[in-house]
Amino acid sequence: MILAKLAYKSLLNRRASVFLTLFTIAISVMLLLSIERVRVDAKSSFSNTISDTDLIVGARTGDIQLLLASVFRIGHTNNGVSWQSYKYITNQRGVKWSIPISLGDSHKGQAVLGTTLDYFEHYRFAKKQNLSFNQGHPFLNINEVVLGSNVANKLGYKLGDHIVISHGMGNTSFHHHDDNPFKVVGILNPTGTPVDKTLHIPLAAIDLIHARASTKHDEHDDLIGHPKQITAFLMGFKSPLYTLQIRRNINQYKQEALLGIMPTVTLKELWQMLAIVEKTLQLFSAIVVLVSLLGMLTTLLANLSQRRRELAILRSVGARPWQLFTLISIESLLTTLLGCLVGCALFYLVMYLGAGYLQSHAGISVNIAMLSYYELTLIGVIMVAGFIIGLVPATRAYFYSLSDGMSIKT
């Protein structure tokens, strides 16, 4: 207890150098925890984007490309799926539900998705959670639009507003469909998925603004229309056996080149491709921690040379070598502990300030929760490493003699 109190006062007496060491450790801990949390939450956000969907069907391309284009609105597919093929496949035995989707338009950089009312009934995210409305209701007429939560918040839209769809994806568009404005009738609750950054319009509206943009539709026209083709469609089946059977039939479909993918399997393939990125980030954070600990070792050794007289005085008043060893060890342990605590505080501050940015720009929903078992293990490893590094100057202090500390070096 006396040695711990003495170590604490010794750190206060050398607070300038101790603060620099502590700050370095804190930054490394913050960086390590931030990278780990973002890595885990990014994986979780991707996995939670779509749930309870057995197959995604689109034009034949790469599995990951189809997944990114149809679910994450990243990239695009070169071709679409004919409406005849969609109807033929979805009428097969064992199909429980299907959701056609048509992409290719945007509004101020936000994706526009043409679909049917089945989208709001059958689309699931996270652990089979269904879409819900914060305000309003699904579209009931061809000129109505339902907004994702992020679209409404970012662009400041509310129920009753009118918006104009643009042709093409992204912020740059060469044609605006000004003659067919859409009325906002619904705003969805946040999901933490690309749904939040999507505008949803009836599938028939895609036909309206492209094929027959100059003609008037009757109010009683259905919401599906007569599309020639769609981008892709999602499917759910009554049994996993039907999933495998129809997926095989789709991949061997002779009428046109189609591809059926199982989203859960494709997501795993995606993360296997990104495994090298994960490992690189982990290696980078580990190197930062190692550098900070080596910096602490350098500081302790430098201070030890300046404290030889102090240690000699302690020896002269009765302190034993093992007590000096313990004193230096406690100082390094306290420095590491305080660095970890400050690092955890900085970690939560960074997560709190950056959560909104990650959600809006990267689609990553950050979980600001208690440290996980693995994160606590990482901190424990840093504590042990800091203690081991502290044994080096502690061992040197152990072997300092009284005469070595009191003598004047020339």
Side-chain angles (χ1 to χ4, degrees):
M1 186 66 183
I2 295 176
L3 287 175
K5 186 176 181 180
L6 184 61
Y8 174 72
K9 290 186 176 181
S10 177
L11 293 176
L12 287 180
N13 186 54
R14 296 177 290 106
R15 51 184 173 271
S17 60
V18 171
F19 174 77
L20 291 176
T21 303
L22 185 150
F23 184 73
T24 303
I25 295 175
I27 291 297
S28 65
V29 170
M30 179 271 292
L31 184 60
L32 178 66
L33 292 178
S34 298
I35 290 176
E36 176 60 24
R37 181 63 62 89
V38 171
R39 182 186 70 84
V40 172
D41 287 346
K43 192 171 184 178
S44 176
S45 295
F46 267 73
S47 299
N48 289 339
T49 298
I50 189 168
S51 174
D52 204 32
T53 294
D54 297 318
L55 277 185
I56 299 175
V57 182
R60 188 167 298 168
T61 181
D63 291 17
I64 294 177
Q65 183 181 354
L66 177 58
L67 177 72
L68 293 177
S70 60
V71 176
F72 296 97
R73 325 285 192 256
I74 299 174
H76 62 277
T77 57
N78 295 326
N79 298 303
V81 180
S82 69
W83 187 250
Q84 290 79 6
S85 295
Y86 166 74
K87 295 298 293 182
Y88 173 78
I89 293 171
T90 55
N91 285 329
Q92 299 297 305
R93 186 165 61 97
V95 177
K96 189 175 181 181
W97 55 264
S98 64
I99 303 173
I101 58 175
S102 183
L103 296 164
D105 294 294
S106 64
H107 174 73
K108 296 183 177 180
Q110 309 299 308
V112 172
L113 182 145
T115 187
T116 65
L117 292 175
D118 290 329
Y119 180 86
F120 303 104
E121 181 180 354
H122 297 295
Y123 188 89
R124 298 289 185 270
F125 66 98
K127 297 180 179 179
K128 299 184 179 181
Q129 296 184 45
N130 62 311
L131 300 176
S132 59
F133 282 80
N134 180 271
Q135 301 177 51
H137 52 78
F139 45 69
L140 300 177
N141 294 293
I142 197 170
N143 63 338
E144 295 178 344
V145 59
V146 173
L147 307 181
S149 63
N150 191 63
V151 176
N153 293 332
K154 181 179 179 180
L155 302 179
Y157 288 136
K158 59 184 182 300
L159 297 183
D161 288 347
H162 287 81
I163 64 175
V164 173
I165 303 300
S166 303
H167 183 64
M169 301 294 287
N171 291 307
T172 302
S173 178
F174 299 99
H175 181 68
H176 303 287
H177 303 291
D178 304 275
D179 50 349
N180 289 291
F182 288 82
K183 179 181 178 181
V184 178
V185 296
I187 299 175
L188 297 170
N189 280 314
T191 65
T193 73
V195 171
D196 298 341
K197 297 186 288 186
T198 303
L199 296 85
H200 308 84
I201 63 176
L203 193 61
I206 300 293
D207 185 41
L208 169 67
I209 62 180
H210 290 106
R212 292 175 287 155
S214 61
T215 60
K216 298 295 184 180
H217 266 237
D218 189 275
E219 292 182 357
H220 300 289
D221 281 353
D222 61 34
L223 301 179
I224 298 177
H226 305 282
K228 293 183 179 179
Q229 68 174 17
I230 56 178
T231 302
F233 57 96
L234 315 181
M235 300 179 70
F237 296 92
K238 299 176 182 178
S239 166
L241 294 177
Y242 289 117
T243 305
L244 298 175
Q245 177 184 345
I246 294 183
R247 178 172 181 256
R248 184 178 65 252
N249 294 339
I250 289 172
N251 293 336
Q252 297 175 351
Y253 190 60
K254 297 185 182 300
Q255 302 302 317
E256 59 181 306
L258 298 180
L259 174 68
I261 63 171
M262 302 173 69
T264 53
V265 175
T266 308
L267 276 171
K268 291 180 180 179
E269 294 177 359
L270 175 62
W271 281 109
Q272 287 175 356
M273 290 181 58
L274 297 176
I276 184 65
V277 178
E278 290 187 83
K279 292 179 180 178
T280 302
L281 289 175
Q282 291 173 328
L283 178 62
F284 175 74
S285 57
I287 290 175
V288 171
V289 172
L290 179 61
V291 169
S292 68
L293 292 175
L294 291 177
M296 182 181 75
L297 174 61
T298 303
T299 302
L300 290 174
L301 289 174
N303 289 338
L304 188 62
S305 298
Q306 300 172 2
R307 297 174 63 190
R308 293 175 71 172
R309 187 176 298 276
E310 172 193 339
L311 297 176
I313 293 174
L314 290 175
R315 290 280 299 273
S316 68
V317 296
R320 299 190 176 186
W322 68 267
Q323 291 175 315
L324 297 183
F325 177 88
T326 305
L327 175 65
I328 303 299
S329 299
I330 292 176
E331 288 181 7
S332 62
L333 189 60
L334 281 175
T335 302
T336 308
L337 175 61
L338 291 174
C340 289
L341 292 176
V342 174
C344 289
L346 290 175
F347 159 69
Y348 279 108
L349 178 63
V350 168
M351 288 295 99
Y352 178 77
L353 296 177
Y357 180 86
L358 289 173
Q359 176 64 59
S360 59
H361 288 77
I364 300 174
S365 180
V366 178
N367 182 24
I368 306 177
M370 298 295 291
L371 296 178
S372 66
Y373 176 78
Y374 181 70
E375 291 167 338
L376 290 173
T377 301
L378 291 177
I379 294 177
V381 170
I382 295 174
M383 290 290 299
V384 172
F387 175 74
I388 293 174
I389 284 180
L391 294 179
V392 177
T395 302
R396 293 191 62 177
Y398 180 87
F399 290 106
Y400 276 162
S401 64
L402 177 61
S403 58
D404 182 47
M406 295 299 289
S407 60
I408 299 175
K409 303 293 183 180
T410 59

